[in-house]
């Protein structure tokens, strides 16, 4: 389900955006000439997300996700 911001940009939440696939997705969306996006980057550690934003040189909005203790998730 797509959500549209008041300025007619599609809102995109990218999880795990500070590295790997999430980072690459955020980078590609940020440089997409086809459609403007309002990109929200998220990750477990806010400082890592803010670092990714600096690296991308884009104005996405950082967000920290709460992940409950789970032995299958490494922090």
């Amino acid at each position: 389900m797509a959500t549209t911001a008041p300025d007619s940009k599609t809102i995109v939440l990218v999880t795990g955006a500070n590295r790997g696939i999430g980072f690459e997705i955020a980078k590609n969306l940020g440089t997409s000439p086809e459609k403007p996006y309002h990109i929200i980057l998220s990750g477990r550690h806010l400082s890592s997300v803010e670092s990714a934003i600096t690296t991308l040189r884009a104005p996405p909005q950082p967000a920290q996700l709460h992940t409950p203790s789970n032995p299958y998730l490494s922090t």
Side-chain angles (χ1 to χ4, degrees):
M1 179 174 163
T3 302
T4 305
D7 57 0
S8 297
K9 292 183 179 180
T10 299
I11 298 171
V12 180
L13 170 64
V14 182
T15 59
N18 58 305
R19 62 184 178 146
I21 294 171
F23 181 84
E24 291 300 319
I25 289 171
K27 182 169 69 173
N28 287 328
L29 288 172
T31 58
S32 173
E34 295 176 13
K35 184 170 185 145
Y37 297 102
H38 177 85
I39 305 166
I40 302 171
L41 303 185
S42 68
R44 292 186 192 158
H45 304 287
L46 189 57
S47 62
S48 297
V49 175
E50 289 171 338
S51 178
I53 291 170
T54 301
T55 302
L56 292 169
R57 296 181 185 189
Q61 178 181 347
Q64 183 174 11
L65 295 179
H66 170 70
T67 54
S69 297
N70 186 324
Y72 300 105
L73 298 174
S74 62
T75 56

